[in-house]
Amino acid sequence: CSLINRDARGSLWISPAGFVEATNQNIGSLSTTGVDFNVSYNTELGSMGSLSASIVGTWLDSLAAPVPAPGGGAASAVVLAIGAAVAEMVAGYAPSGQDRDASLAAVSAVRREALAAADRDAAASAALIAAFRRDDTDADAATLREIATERRQALDVATQSSLGIALAAAPLGNALAWLAEHGEPRLAPDVVVAARTVAAGVRSAAATAHANVEASVPERSTDEAGSRELSRLRDAVSGVFALAATLDEIADRVTSRL
């Protein structure tokens, strides 16, 4: 209204005293909610110049909100994907050859799989929470069996999802070990960043898997088949923790040479 000026008679056009200030204004708007994150890496390459990479994205409020999904498992997968992306960057600067091509293909595949695993884990997490939120108060025997089966199946899917996230990183062990020895020397710190980040994602996913496995103990320990499955899952969890330790060893070895 402050841009509308009427003359003494209230007109906008009878006299020059009446006019509208037609300035350019942006009156549009866009509303959204979320958490913005920006992950950047910058490395000097001497006479080659510098190398920088940036990952910019928005993680909607559902991650931080008390809702079933996405949760810690999906977050672990995204962390893994970021570590794989750093490794992919380093592989891109490695000397050309079959080994370099194999490493580049491996880390690229892990990055894509980790992002896909994040979506799968979000769905598994939502189903798990829904199963355990079912009200079994005053339920008859048949309904109780149905709820118990649904919970067991949802727990199994969630466990396999978490293990799948961690195991997706397995090819990165050899790839990062090769990059540590044959990659561009000035990118050695980025090998450390990649190894540590991937290890964090693996450990996080393994912790979620461990919690799910132990939550299934009361049901799995009731018969021999369940006990064998419990033992197998515990071994799998131990294996992914060992994978994280291997990645940390690579980072330690490279760090010692910096």
Side-chain angles (χ1 to χ4, degrees):
C1 293
S2 62
L3 300 179
I4 299 175
N5 299 274
R6 298 181 183 274
D7 62 17
R9 288 174 289 183
S11 174
L12 292 174
W13 58 84
I14 293 177
S15 72
F19 62 93
V20 176
E21 295 182 41
T23 59
N24 293 324
Q25 290 193 352
N26 183 357
I27 59 174
S29 65
L30 173 66
S31 177
T32 185
T33 59
V35 179
D36 291 332
F37 65 90
N38 188 325
V39 181
S40 299
Y41 299 94
N42 187 75
T43 300
E44 294 298 325
L45 298 178
S47 60
M48 296 172 60
S50 64
L51 170 68
S52 62
S54 179
I55 303 171
V56 181
T58 298
W59 202 309
L60 299 182
D61 280 344
S62 55
L63 180 66
V67 295
S76 301
V78 172
V79 169
L80 173 55
I82 292 173
V86 178
E88 188 173 353
M89 175 192 70
V90 176
Y93 275 84
S96 298
Q98 290 184 347
D99 289 337
R100 177 261 194 186
D101 292 345
S103 295
L104 187 58
V107 296
S108 178
V110 170
R111 174 175 57 83
R112 294 192 301 270
E113 170 57 25
L115 291 177
D119 289 336
R120 292 195 298 269
D121 190 85
S125 178
L128 178 63
I129 296 300
F132 277 87
R133 281 182 175 174
R134 286 193 62 180
D135 186 10
D136 57 5
T137 305
D138 299 326
D140 57 32
T143 302
L144 287 174
R145 287 194 298 272
E146 176 191 327
I147 292 175
T149 299
E150 180 181 346
R151 289 175 176 174
R152 183 175 63 254
Q153 291 174 344
L155 199 57
D156 286 345
V157 171
T159 301
Q160 293 303 325
S161 176
S162 295
L163 286 173
I165 291 170
L167 291 172
L172 291 179
N174 289 335
L176 285 169
W178 186 85
L179 290 171
E181 300 302 325
H182 306 288
E184 164 57 48
R186 284 165 289 192
L187 293 183
D190 294 290
V191 174
V192 176
V193 170
R196 297 290 191 205
T197 305
V198 172
V202 170
R203 279 197 177 87
S204 299
T208 303
H210 171 75
N212 290 338
V213 169
E214 296 309 312
S216 70
V217 168
E219 291 185 354
R220 294 189 190 278
S221 59
T222 58
D223 55 60
E224 184 177 349
S227 296
R228 286 197 301 269
E229 178 65 6
L230 182 62
S231 178
R232 185 190 70 80
L233 289 172
R234 282 173 168 166
D235 287 344
V237 171
S238 297
V240 293
F241 275 120
L243 171 60
T246 297
L247 293 165
D248 277 333
E249 289 173 2
I250 294 172
D252 290 339
R253 187 164 66 250
V254 176
T255 299
S256 69
R257 300 199 298 256
L258 295 178

